[in-house]
Amino acid sequence: MGRSRRTLPEELLLLALDPATGTTAQPQSLDLGLAGAQLVELALAGRIAPDGDRIAVVVPRPTGDPTLDCALELLRRRGAPVRAVHWIGGPRLGLRQTYLSHLERCGMVAAVPGQMCGVLPTTRYQATDTAISREIRARLDSAIRTGVPPDPRTAALAALAHAVGLGKHLYPGNEGRSSRSRLRDLIRHDPMGGLVAHAVMDVQNGAVAQPRRGPAATGRQGAAGARSAPEPARGVPMQQRHGSMARAVAH
């Protein structure tokens, strides 16, 4: 996978980054969204594929992206397809910080140290190339405004943005209500994005979704009465924890 193209986790994080405050919107659900975005990116790269409501590794060959390859290897070690809701609901310590640090190394954001209450060290992140963020946002705006079915990458990004609650951040107030509704509707244009987005929402709701008949299913089935603890993701690589204790990120 060439690094000339940004990955979905990177784009989702840039969408969530508030240019005024340097903090990320919806920080808790964003962590789930980043784990889901990794799945969609691996699917777009042809490494995994949906199998009902499960994720199956079809090509275990590395992509060349270290963070994605860690996720791919963990999926491969499972040996059998894993339910998306279980994978996304597992611990992902430091995943957001891993991507923030990566964006900083790439020069797309700059870390700004500060203090909370004059004592606790914090780090905020300011976009250094706002044209990139504008381009990402323009793709969503175009899909919402024109009603033309977007490409799979943009459709998946829209589905993830809706799932983590970025709609009110991107299209606030009463004037943004119709845009938020159309953002939600874009979820149907990418089967993998839709599967992952529903899994993200199910985890947030504390429910394990009932098995779906196919990856394109968009109806919410059996959320009530299907509550069980998400299966933990074992063996989370230590590199995903890098920086999470070294410096606090202001939420």
Short mmCIF file of all heavy atoms in Angstrom, two decimals, residues 165-239:
data_model
loop_
_atom_site.label_atom_id
_atom_site.label_comp_id
_atom_site.label_asym_id
_atom_site.label_seq_id
_atom_site.Cartn_x
_atom_site.Cartn_y
_atom_site.Cartn_z
N GLY A 165 -20.40 9.90 15.94
CA GLY A 165 -21.08 11.11 16.39
C GLY A 165 -20.47 12.40 15.93
O GLY A 165 -20.66 13.45 16.56
N LEU A 166 -19.74 12.36 14.81
CA LEU A 166 -19.14 13.59 14.30
C LEU A 166 -20.12 14.47 13.54
O LEU A 166 -19.78 15.59 13.17
CB LEU A 166 -17.95 13.26 13.37
CG LEU A 166 -16.69 12.72 14.03
CD1 LEU A 166 -15.60 12.53 12.99
CD2 LEU A 166 -16.21 13.65 15.14
N GLY A 167 -21.34 13.98 13.31
CA GLY A 167 -22.31 14.76 12.55
C GLY A 167 -22.55 16.13 13.17
O GLY A 167 -22.57 17.15 12.46
N LYS A 168 -22.73 16.17 14.49
CA LYS A 168 -23.00 17.45 15.15
C LYS A 168 -21.76 18.34 15.20
O LYS A 168 -21.88 19.55 15.36
CB LYS A 168 -23.52 17.20 16.56
CG LYS A 168 -24.90 16.57 16.58
CD LYS A 168 -25.42 16.40 18.01
CE LYS A 168 -26.82 15.81 18.00
NZ LYS A 168 -27.36 15.64 19.38
N HIS A 169 -20.60 17.74 15.09
CA HIS A 169 -19.35 18.52 15.03
C HIS A 169 -19.16 19.11 13.64
O HIS A 169 -18.75 20.28 13.49
CB HIS A 169 -18.18 17.60 15.38
CG HIS A 169 -16.82 18.17 15.09
ND1 HIS A 169 -16.29 19.23 15.80
CD2 HIS A 169 -15.90 17.84 14.14
CE1 HIS A 169 -15.08 19.51 15.32
NE2 HIS A 169 -14.84 18.69 14.31
N LEU A 170 -19.49 18.34 12.61
CA LEU A 170 -19.30 18.80 11.23
C LEU A 170 -20.45 19.68 10.74
O LEU A 170 -20.23 20.62 9.99
CB LEU A 170 -19.16 17.58 10.31
CG LEU A 170 -17.97 16.65 10.59
CD1 LEU A 170 -18.10 15.38 9.75
CD2 LEU A 170 -16.65 17.35 10.31
N TYR A 171 -21.67 19.36 11.17
CA TYR A 171 -22.86 20.07 10.71
C TYR A 171 -23.72 20.43 11.93
O TYR A 171 -24.73 19.79 12.20
CB TYR A 171 -23.65 19.20 9.72
CG TYR A 171 -22.82 18.68 8.58
CD1 TYR A 171 -22.38 17.35 8.56
CD2 TYR A 171 -22.43 19.52 7.53
CE1 TYR A 171 -21.59 16.88 7.52
CE2 TYR A 171 -21.64 19.04 6.49
CZ TYR A 171 -21.22 17.73 6.49
OH TYR A 171 -20.44 17.25 5.47
N PRO A 172 -23.30 21.44 12.68
CA PRO A 172 -23.97 21.74 13.96
C PRO A 172 -25.30 22.47 13.79
O PRO A 172 -25.60 23.03 12.74
CB PRO A 172 -22.94 22.64 14.66
CG PRO A 172 -22.23 23.33 13.53
CD PRO A 172 -22.15 22.32 12.42
N GLY A 173 -26.07 22.44 14.88
CA GLY A 173 -27.28 23.25 14.97
C GLY A 173 -28.43 22.75 14.12
O GLY A 173 -28.35 21.76 13.41
N ASN A 174 -29.53 23.51 14.19
CA ASN A 174 -30.71 23.15 13.41
C ASN A 174 -30.44 23.23 11.92
O ASN A 174 -31.00 22.45 11.13
CB ASN A 174 -31.87 24.08 13.78
CG ASN A 174 -32.43 23.78 15.17
OD1 ASN A 174 -32.33 22.66 15.64
ND2 ASN A 174 -32.99 24.80 15.80
N GLU A 175 -29.58 24.18 11.53
CA GLU A 175 -29.31 24.34 10.10
C GLU A 175 -28.55 23.14 9.53
O GLU A 175 -28.55 22.91 8.32
CB GLU A 175 -28.52 25.62 9.84
CG GLU A 175 -27.13 25.67 10.45
CD GLU A 175 -27.12 26.14 11.89
OE1 GLU A 175 -28.20 26.17 12.51
OE2 GLU A 175 -26.02 26.47 12.39
N GLY A 176 -27.91 22.37 10.40
CA GLY A 176 -27.16 21.21 9.93
C GLY A 176 -27.94 19.91 10.02
O GLY A 176 -27.41 18.84 9.70
N ARG A 177 -29.21 20.00 10.43
CA ARG A 177 -29.99 18.78 10.65
C ARG A 177 -30.13 17.95 9.38
O ARG A 177 -29.97 16.73 9.41
CB ARG A 177 -31.36 19.13 11.21
CG ARG A 177 -32.21 17.92 11.55
CD ARG A 177 -33.53 18.34 12.17
NE ARG A 177 -33.32 19.11 13.40
CZ ARG A 177 -34.28 19.73 14.05
NH1 ARG A 177 -35.52 19.71 13.59
NH2 ARG A 177 -34.02 20.40 15.16
N SER A 178 -30.45 18.59 8.28
CA SER A 178 -30.64 17.83 7.04
C SER A 178 -29.33 17.21 6.57
O SER A 178 -29.31 16.09 6.05
CB SER A 178 -31.24 18.73 5.95
OG SER A 178 -30.36 19.81 5.66
N SER A 179 -28.22 17.93 6.76
CA SER A 179 -26.92 17.38 6.38
C SER A 179 -26.57 16.18 7.24
O SER A 179 -26.02 15.19 6.74
CB SER A 179 -25.84 18.46 6.50
OG SER A 179 -26.02 19.49 5.55
N ARG A 180 -26.89 16.25 8.52
CA ARG A 180 -26.62 15.11 9.40
C ARG A 180 -27.46 13.90 8.97
O ARG A 180 -26.99 12.76 9.02
CB ARG A 180 -26.93 15.47 10.86
CG ARG A 180 -25.98 16.51 11.43
CD ARG A 180 -26.07 16.56 12.94
NE ARG A 180 -27.39 16.92 13.44
CZ ARG A 180 -27.80 18.16 13.69
NH1 ARG A 180 -26.98 19.18 13.43
NH2 ARG A 180 -29.01 18.41 14.17
N SER A 181 -28.68 14.16 8.56
CA SER A 181 -29.54 13.07 8.11
C SER A 181 -28.98 12.42 6.84
O SER A 181 -28.95 11.19 6.72
CB SER A 181 -30.95 13.59 7.86
OG SER A 181 -31.79 12.57 7.36
N ARG A 182 -28.52 13.25 5.91
CA ARG A 182 -27.95 12.71 4.67
C ARG A 182 -26.62 12.00 4.94
O ARG A 182 -26.29 11.02 4.26
CB ARG A 182 -27.80 13.82 3.64
CG ARG A 182 -29.13 14.29 3.07
CD ARG A 182 -28.94 15.16 1.85
NE ARG A 182 -28.38 16.46 2.17
CZ ARG A 182 -29.10 17.53 2.49
NH1 ARG A 182 -30.42 17.45 2.54
NH2 ARG A 182 -28.52 18.69 2.75
N LEU A 183 -25.85 12.50 5.92
CA LEU A 183 -24.61 11.82 6.30
C LEU A 183 -24.91 10.40 6.78
O LEU A 183 -24.24 9.44 6.40
CB LEU A 183 -23.90 12.60 7.41
CG LEU A 183 -22.58 12.01 7.92
CD1 LEU A 183 -21.49 12.14 6.87
CD2 LEU A 183 -22.14 12.72 9.21
N ARG A 184 -25.96 10.27 7.59
CA ARG A 184 -26.37 8.96 8.07
C ARG A 184 -26.79 8.07 6.91
O ARG A 184 -26.47 6.88 6.88
CB ARG A 184 -27.53 9.12 9.05
CG ARG A 184 -28.07 7.81 9.63
CD ARG A 184 -29.40 8.03 10.31
NE ARG A 184 -30.40 8.49 9.35
CZ ARG A 184 -31.25 9.49 9.56
NH1 ARG A 184 -31.22 10.17 10.70
NH2 ARG A 184 -32.12 9.84 8.64
N ASP A 185 -27.48 8.63 5.93
CA ASP A 185 -27.98 7.83 4.82
C ASP A 185 -26.85 7.29 3.94
O ASP A 185 -27.04 6.28 3.25
CB ASP A 185 -28.94 8.65 3.96
CG ASP A 185 -30.25 8.96 4.68
OD1 ASP A 185 -30.53 8.27 5.68
OD2 ASP A 185 -30.96 9.88 4.26
N LEU A 186 -25.70 7.95 3.95
CA LEU A 186 -24.58 7.49 3.11
C LEU A 186 -24.04 6.14 3.57
O LEU A 186 -23.26 5.51 2.86
CB LEU A 186 -23.45 8.53 3.13
CG LEU A 186 -23.72 9.84 2.37
CD1 LEU A 186 -22.58 10.82 2.58
CD2 LEU A 186 -23.94 9.58 0.89
N ILE A 187 -24.45 5.70 4.74
CA ILE A 187 -23.97 4.44 5.29
C ILE A 187 -24.31 3.27 4.39
O ILE A 187 -23.62 2.24 4.40
CB ILE A 187 -24.56 4.24 6.71
CG1 ILE A 187 -23.72 3.26 7.52
CG2 ILE A 187 -26.00 3.77 6.65
CD1 ILE A 187 -24.13 3.21 8.99
N ARG A 188 -25.34 3.39 3.58
CA ARG A 188 -25.79 2.26 2.77
C ARG A 188 -24.96 2.07 1.50
O ARG A 188 -25.12 1.06 0.80
CB ARG A 188 -27.26 2.46 2.36
CG ARG A 188 -27.49 3.56 1.35
CD ARG A 188 -28.97 3.71 1.03
NE ARG A 188 -29.23 4.66 -0.04
CZ ARG A 188 -29.36 5.96 0.14
NH1 ARG A 188 -29.27 6.47 1.36
NH2 ARG A 188 -29.58 6.77 -0.88
N HIS A 189 -24.07 2.99 1.20
CA HIS A 189 -23.34 2.93 -0.07
C HIS A 189 -22.06 2.09 -0.01
O HIS A 189 -21.43 1.86 -1.05
CB HIS A 189 -22.99 4.34 -0.56
CG HIS A 189 -24.18 5.12 -1.04
ND1 HIS A 189 -24.90 4.76 -2.15
CD2 HIS A 189 -24.78 6.22 -0.53
CE1 HIS A 189 -25.89 5.62 -2.33
NE2 HIS A 189 -25.85 6.51 -1.35
N ASP A 190 -21.67 1.63 1.17
CA ASP A 190 -20.50 0.77 1.25
C ASP A 190 -20.77 -0.35 2.24
O ASP A 190 -20.92 -0.10 3.43
CB ASP A 190 -19.25 1.55 1.70
CG ASP A 190 -18.03 0.66 1.79
OD1 ASP A 190 -17.61 0.12 0.76
OD2 ASP A 190 -17.51 0.48 2.91
N PRO A 191 -20.89 -1.61 1.78
CA PRO A 191 -21.24 -2.71 2.67
C PRO A 191 -20.29 -2.86 3.85
O PRO A 191 -20.73 -3.05 4.99
CB PRO A 191 -21.20 -3.94 1.75
CG PRO A 191 -21.46 -3.39 0.39
CD PRO A 191 -20.80 -2.04 0.37
N MET A 192 -18.99 -2.79 3.60
CA MET A 192 -18.03 -2.95 4.69
C MET A 192 -18.12 -1.78 5.66
O MET A 192 -18.11 -1.96 6.89
CB MET A 192 -16.62 -3.07 4.13
CG MET A 192 -15.56 -3.37 5.18
SD MET A 192 -15.79 -5.01 5.92
CE MET A 192 -14.42 -5.04 7.06
N GLY A 193 -18.21 -0.57 5.12
CA GLY A 193 -18.35 0.60 5.98
C GLY A 193 -19.62 0.53 6.81
O GLY A 193 -19.63 0.91 7.99
N GLY A 194 -20.69 0.04 6.20
CA GLY A 194 -21.94 -0.09 6.94
C GLY A 194 -21.85 -1.11 8.05
O GLY A 194 -22.32 -0.88 9.17
N LEU A 195 -21.24 -2.25 7.76
CA LEU A 195 -21.06 -3.29 8.77
C LEU A 195 -20.26 -2.75 9.96
O LEU A 195 -20.64 -2.93 11.12
CB LEU A 195 -20.34 -4.49 8.15
CG LEU A 195 -19.83 -5.57 9.11
CD1 LEU A 195 -20.98 -6.22 9.85
CD2 LEU A 195 -19.00 -6.60 8.35
N VAL A 196 -19.16 -2.09 9.67
CA VAL A 196 -18.29 -1.58 10.72
C VAL A 196 -18.97 -0.45 11.50
O VAL A 196 -18.89 -0.39 12.73
CB VAL A 196 -16.95 -1.10 10.12
CG1 VAL A 196 -16.14 -0.32 11.14
CG2 VAL A 196 -16.14 -2.29 9.61
N ALA A 197 -19.66 0.44 10.79
CA ALA A 197 -20.34 1.55 11.45
C ALA A 197 -21.40 1.04 12.42
O ALA A 197 -21.53 1.54 13.55
CB ALA A 197 -20.96 2.49 10.42
N HIS A 198 -22.18 0.05 12.01
CA HIS A 198 -23.18 -0.52 12.90
C HIS A 198 -22.52 -1.19 14.11
O HIS A 198 -23.05 -1.11 15.23
CB HIS A 198 -24.05 -1.53 12.15
CG HIS A 198 -25.12 -0.90 11.32
ND1 HIS A 198 -26.04 -0.01 11.84
CD2 HIS A 198 -25.41 -1.01 10.00
CE1 HIS A 198 -26.86 0.39 10.88
NE2 HIS A 198 -26.50 -0.19 9.76
N ALA A 199 -21.37 -1.83 13.89
CA ALA A 199 -20.66 -2.45 15.00
C ALA A 199 -20.18 -1.39 15.99
O ALA A 199 -20.27 -1.59 17.21
CB ALA A 199 -19.48 -3.26 14.47
N VAL A 200 -19.68 -0.27 15.49
CA VAL A 200 -19.25 0.83 16.36
C VAL A 200 -20.42 1.32 17.20
O VAL A 200 -20.30 1.53 18.42
CB VAL A 200 -18.65 1.99 15.53
CG1 VAL A 200 -18.47 3.23 16.39
CG2 VAL A 200 -17.32 1.57 14.92
N MET A 201 -21.57 1.51 16.59
CA MET A 201 -22.74 1.99 17.32
C MET A 201 -23.24 0.95 18.31
O MET A 201 -23.68 1.30 19.42
CB MET A 201 -23.84 2.40 16.33
CG MET A 201 -23.48 3.65 15.53
SD MET A 201 -24.82 4.24 14.45
CE MET A 201 -24.73 3.05 13.11
N ASP A 202 -23.17 -0.32 17.95
CA ASP A 202 -23.60 -1.37 18.87
C ASP A 202 -22.72 -1.40 20.11
O ASP A 202 -23.21 -1.58 21.23
CB ASP A 202 -23.56 -2.74 18.17
CG ASP A 202 -24.72 -2.92 17.20
OD1 ASP A 202 -25.77 -2.27 17.39
OD2 ASP A 202 -24.56 -3.67 16.23
N VAL A 203 -21.41 -1.24 19.94
CA VAL A 203 -20.50 -1.22 21.08
C VAL A 203 -20.82 -0.03 21.98
O VAL A 203 -20.86 -0.14 23.21
CB VAL A 203 -19.03 -1.17 20.61
CG1 VAL A 203 -18.10 -0.97 21.80
CG2 VAL A 203 -18.66 -2.45 19.88
N GLN A 204 -21.08 1.14 21.38
CA GLN A 204 -21.41 2.32 22.17
C GLN A 204 -22.71 2.14 22.95
O GLN A 204 -22.85 2.64 24.07
CB GLN A 204 -21.54 3.54 21.26
CG GLN A 204 -20.24 4.00 20.65
CD GLN A 204 -20.42 5.22 19.78
OE1 GLN A 204 -20.47 6.34 20.28
NE2 GLN A 204 -20.54 5.02 18.48
N ASN A 205 -23.64 1.40 22.36
CA ASN A 205 -24.93 1.16 23.02
C ASN A 205 -24.86 0.03 24.04
O ASN A 205 -25.86 -0.29 24.68
CB ASN A 205 -26.00 0.85 21.98
CG ASN A 205 -26.34 2.05 21.12
OD1 ASN A 205 -26.18 3.18 21.55
ND2 ASN A 205 -26.79 1.79 19.89
N GLY A 206 -23.70 -0.60 24.15
CA GLY A 206 -23.54 -1.68 25.11
C GLY A 206 -24.21 -2.95 24.69
O GLY A 206 -24.50 -3.82 25.50
N ALA A 207 -24.46 -3.09 23.39
CA ALA A 207 -25.16 -4.28 22.90
C ALA A 207 -24.31 -4.97 21.86
O ALA A 207 -23.63 -4.34 21.07
CB ALA A 207 -26.51 -3.90 22.29
N VAL A 208 -24.36 -6.28 21.87
CA VAL A 208 -23.74 -7.08 20.82
C VAL A 208 -24.82 -7.38 19.80
O VAL A 208 -25.81 -8.02 20.11
CB VAL A 208 -23.14 -8.38 21.37
CG1 VAL A 208 -22.56 -9.21 20.23
CG2 VAL A 208 -22.06 -8.07 22.41
N ALA A 209 -24.62 -6.90 18.58
CA ALA A 209 -25.66 -7.05 17.56
C ALA A 209 -25.88 -8.51 17.20
O ALA A 209 -24.97 -9.32 17.22
CB ALA A 209 -25.27 -6.27 16.29
N GLN A 210 -27.13 -8.84 16.88
CA GLN A 210 -27.43 -10.17 16.38
C GLN A 210 -26.77 -10.34 15.02
O GLN A 210 -26.56 -9.38 14.29
CB GLN A 210 -28.95 -10.34 16.23
CG GLN A 210 -29.69 -10.34 17.57
CD GLN A 210 -29.44 -11.62 18.34
OE1 GLN A 210 -28.93 -12.58 17.78
NE2 GLN A 210 -29.80 -11.64 19.61
N PRO A 211 -26.41 -11.58 14.64
CA PRO A 211 -25.80 -11.81 13.33
C PRO A 211 -26.67 -11.27 12.21
O PRO A 211 -27.88 -11.44 12.21
CB PRO A 211 -25.67 -13.35 13.25
CG PRO A 211 -25.65 -13.79 14.69
CD PRO A 211 -26.53 -12.82 15.42
N ARG A 212 -26.01 -10.61 11.26
CA ARG A 212 -26.73 -10.07 10.10
C ARG A 212 -26.66 -11.08 8.96
O ARG A 212 -25.73 -11.86 8.84
CB ARG A 212 -26.11 -8.73 9.67
CG ARG A 212 -26.06 -7.73 10.79
CD ARG A 212 -25.48 -6.41 10.30
NE ARG A 212 -25.12 -5.57 11.43
CZ ARG A 212 -25.98 -4.84 12.13
NH1 ARG A 212 -27.24 -4.86 11.80
NH2 ARG A 212 -25.58 -4.13 13.14
N ARG A 213 -27.62 -11.03 8.08
CA ARG A 213 -27.66 -11.97 6.96
C ARG A 213 -26.60 -11.68 5.93
O ARG A 213 -26.17 -12.54 5.21
CB ARG A 213 -29.04 -11.97 6.31
CG ARG A 213 -30.12 -12.54 7.22
CD ARG A 213 -31.42 -12.68 6.47
NE ARG A 213 -32.43 -13.27 7.29
CZ ARG A 213 -32.58 -14.57 7.46
NH1 ARG A 213 -31.78 -15.41 6.84
NH2 ARG A 213 -33.54 -15.05 8.23
N GLY A 214 -26.17 -10.43 5.83
CA GLY A 214 -25.16 -10.09 4.85
C GLY A 214 -24.54 -8.77 5.20
O GLY A 214 -25.07 -8.02 6.02
N PRO A 215 -23.38 -8.45 4.61
CA PRO A 215 -22.69 -7.22 4.95
C PRO A 215 -23.44 -5.99 4.56
O PRO A 215 -23.15 -4.91 5.05
CB PRO A 215 -21.36 -7.35 4.18
CG PRO A 215 -21.66 -8.31 3.06
CD PRO A 215 -22.67 -9.25 3.61
N ALA A 216 -24.43 -6.11 3.63
CA ALA A 216 -25.13 -4.92 3.18
C ALA A 216 -26.32 -4.59 4.06
O ALA A 216 -27.00 -3.59 3.84
CB ALA A 216 -25.61 -5.10 1.74
N ALA A 217 -26.61 -5.45 5.05
CA ALA A 217 -27.78 -5.20 5.89
C ALA A 217 -27.60 -3.93 6.67
O ALA A 217 -26.57 -3.70 7.27
CB ALA A 217 -27.98 -6.38 6.84
N THR A 218 -28.61 -3.09 6.65
CA THR A 218 -28.51 -1.81 7.36
C THR A 218 -29.47 -1.72 8.51
O THR A 218 -29.41 -0.80 9.30
CB THR A 218 -28.79 -0.65 6.39
OG1 THR A 218 -30.07 -0.84 5.79
CG2 THR A 218 -27.73 -0.59 5.31
N GLY A 219 -30.42 -2.67 8.62
CA GLY A 219 -31.37 -2.62 9.72
C GLY A 219 -30.70 -3.03 11.01
O GLY A 219 -29.82 -3.89 11.03
N ARG A 220 -31.09 -2.47 12.12
CA ARG A 220 -30.57 -2.83 13.42
C ARG A 220 -31.37 -4.00 13.93
O ARG A 220 -32.57 -3.87 14.16
CB ARG A 220 -30.65 -1.65 14.37
CG ARG A 220 -30.09 -0.37 13.82
CD ARG A 220 -28.65 -0.53 13.38
NE ARG A 220 -27.82 -0.93 14.52
CZ ARG A 220 -27.33 -0.04 15.39
NH1 ARG A 220 -27.58 1.23 15.26
NH2 ARG A 220 -26.59 -0.44 16.40
N GLN A 221 -30.76 -5.16 14.10
CA GLN A 221 -31.49 -6.36 14.46
C GLN A 221 -31.09 -6.79 15.86
O GLN A 221 -29.93 -6.97 16.16
CB GLN A 221 -31.15 -7.50 13.50
CG GLN A 221 -31.50 -7.16 12.05
CD GLN A 221 -31.07 -8.29 11.13
OE1 GLN A 221 -30.80 -9.39 11.58
NE2 GLN A 221 -31.03 -8.04 9.86
N GLY A 222 -32.10 -6.98 16.70
CA GLY A 222 -31.90 -7.65 17.97
C GLY A 222 -31.00 -6.94 18.93
O GLY A 222 -30.26 -7.60 19.66
N ALA A 223 -30.96 -5.59 18.95
CA ALA A 223 -30.09 -4.92 19.90
C ALA A 223 -30.53 -5.22 21.32
O ALA A 223 -29.71 -5.41 22.21
CB ALA A 223 -30.11 -3.41 19.65
N ALA A 224 -31.87 -5.25 21.54
CA ALA A 224 -32.38 -5.59 22.86
C ALA A 224 -32.27 -7.08 23.06
O ALA A 224 -32.54 -7.88 22.18
CB ALA A 224 -33.84 -5.14 23.00
N GLY A 225 -31.89 -7.48 24.27
CA GLY A 225 -31.81 -8.89 24.61
C GLY A 225 -30.57 -9.57 24.10
O GLY A 225 -30.43 -10.77 24.22
N ALA A 226 -29.63 -8.82 23.50
CA ALA A 226 -28.41 -9.43 23.00
C ALA A 226 -27.21 -8.83 23.68
O ALA A 226 -26.19 -8.61 23.08
CB ALA A 226 -28.31 -9.24 21.48
N ARG A 227 -27.34 -8.53 24.95
CA ARG A 227 -26.28 -7.84 25.66
C ARG A 227 -25.33 -8.87 26.27
O ARG A 227 -25.70 -9.69 27.09
CB ARG A 227 -26.86 -6.96 26.76
CG ARG A 227 -27.77 -5.89 26.19
CD ARG A 227 -28.39 -5.05 27.30
NE ARG A 227 -29.33 -4.09 26.74
CZ ARG A 227 -28.98 -2.91 26.28
NH1 ARG A 227 -27.73 -2.55 26.33
NH2 ARG A 227 -29.88 -2.09 25.80
N SER A 228 -24.09 -8.79 25.88
CA SER A 228 -23.04 -9.61 26.48
C SER A 228 -21.75 -8.86 26.37
O SER A 228 -21.62 -7.94 25.57
CB SER A 228 -22.94 -10.96 25.76
OG SER A 228 -22.60 -10.78 24.41
N ALA A 229 -20.80 -9.23 27.16
CA ALA A 229 -19.53 -8.50 27.19
C ALA A 229 -18.78 -8.72 25.90
O ALA A 229 -18.67 -9.85 25.41
CB ALA A 229 -18.68 -8.97 28.37
N PRO A 230 -18.25 -7.64 25.29
CA PRO A 230 -17.48 -7.81 24.07
C PRO A 230 -16.27 -8.70 24.31
O PRO A 230 -15.64 -8.63 25.37
CB PRO A 230 -17.05 -6.38 23.71
CG PRO A 230 -18.03 -5.51 24.42
CD PRO A 230 -18.39 -6.24 25.66
N GLU A 231 -15.93 -9.52 23.34
CA GLU A 231 -14.76 -10.38 23.43
C GLU A 231 -13.52 -9.51 23.34
O GLU A 231 -13.36 -8.73 22.42
CB GLU A 231 -14.79 -11.37 22.26
CG GLU A 231 -13.57 -12.28 22.19
CD GLU A 231 -13.60 -13.13 20.94
OE1 GLU A 231 -14.30 -12.75 20.00
OE2 GLU A 231 -12.94 -14.16 20.93
N PRO A 232 -12.60 -9.60 24.30
CA PRO A 232 -11.43 -8.73 24.27
C PRO A 232 -10.49 -9.10 23.13
O PRO A 232 -10.38 -10.26 22.74
CB PRO A 232 -10.76 -8.98 25.63
CG PRO A 232 -11.22 -10.36 26.02
CD PRO A 232 -12.60 -10.51 25.45
N ALA A 233 -9.82 -8.09 22.60
CA ALA A 233 -8.80 -8.33 21.58
C ALA A 233 -7.49 -8.62 22.29
O ALA A 233 -6.92 -7.75 22.92
CB ALA A 233 -8.66 -7.12 20.66
N ARG A 234 -7.03 -9.86 22.18
CA ARG A 234 -5.83 -10.23 22.92
C ARG A 234 -4.58 -9.83 22.15
O ARG A 234 -4.56 -9.78 20.93
CB ARG A 234 -5.82 -11.75 23.15
CG ARG A 234 -6.98 -12.22 24.01
CD ARG A 234 -6.93 -13.71 24.22
NE ARG A 234 -7.19 -14.43 22.97
CZ ARG A 234 -8.40 -14.69 22.53
NH1 ARG A 234 -9.45 -14.31 23.20
NH2 ARG A 234 -8.56 -15.35 21.40
N GLY A 235 -3.53 -9.58 22.91
CA GLY A 235 -2.24 -9.35 22.29
C GLY A 235 -2.14 -8.03 21.58
O GLY A 235 -1.51 -7.94 20.54
N VAL A 236 -2.72 -6.96 22.12
CA VAL A 236 -2.59 -5.65 21.48
C VAL A 236 -1.13 -5.25 21.50
O VAL A 236 -0.50 -5.26 22.56
CB VAL A 236 -3.44 -4.60 22.21
CG1 VAL A 236 -3.23 -3.24 21.58
CG2 VAL A 236 -4.90 -4.99 22.15
N PRO A 237 -0.53 -4.93 20.36
CA PRO A 237 0.89 -4.62 20.31
C PRO A 237 1.23 -3.44 21.20
O PRO A 237 0.48 -2.48 21.33
CB PRO A 237 1.14 -4.28 18.83
CG PRO A 237 -0.01 -4.87 18.11
CD PRO A 237 -1.16 -4.84 19.06
N MET A 238 2.44 -3.53 21.80
CA MET A 238 2.89 -2.46 22.67
C MET A 238 3.04 -1.15 21.93
O MET A 238 2.88 -0.08 22.49
CB MET A 238 4.23 -2.85 23.31
CG MET A 238 4.10 -3.91 24.40
SD MET A 238 3.06 -3.39 25.77
CE MET A 238 4.06 -2.07 26.43
N GLN A 239 3.34 -1.20 20.60
CA GLN A 239 3.57 0.03 19.88
C GLN A 239 2.29 0.86 19.78
O GLN A 239 2.33 2.07 19.59
CB GLN A 239 4.11 -0.25 18.48
CG GLN A 239 3.04 -0.78 17.51
CD GLN A 239 3.63 -0.94 16.13
OE1 GLN A 239 4.51 -1.74 15.91
NE2 GLN A 239 3.17 -0.15 15.21
#
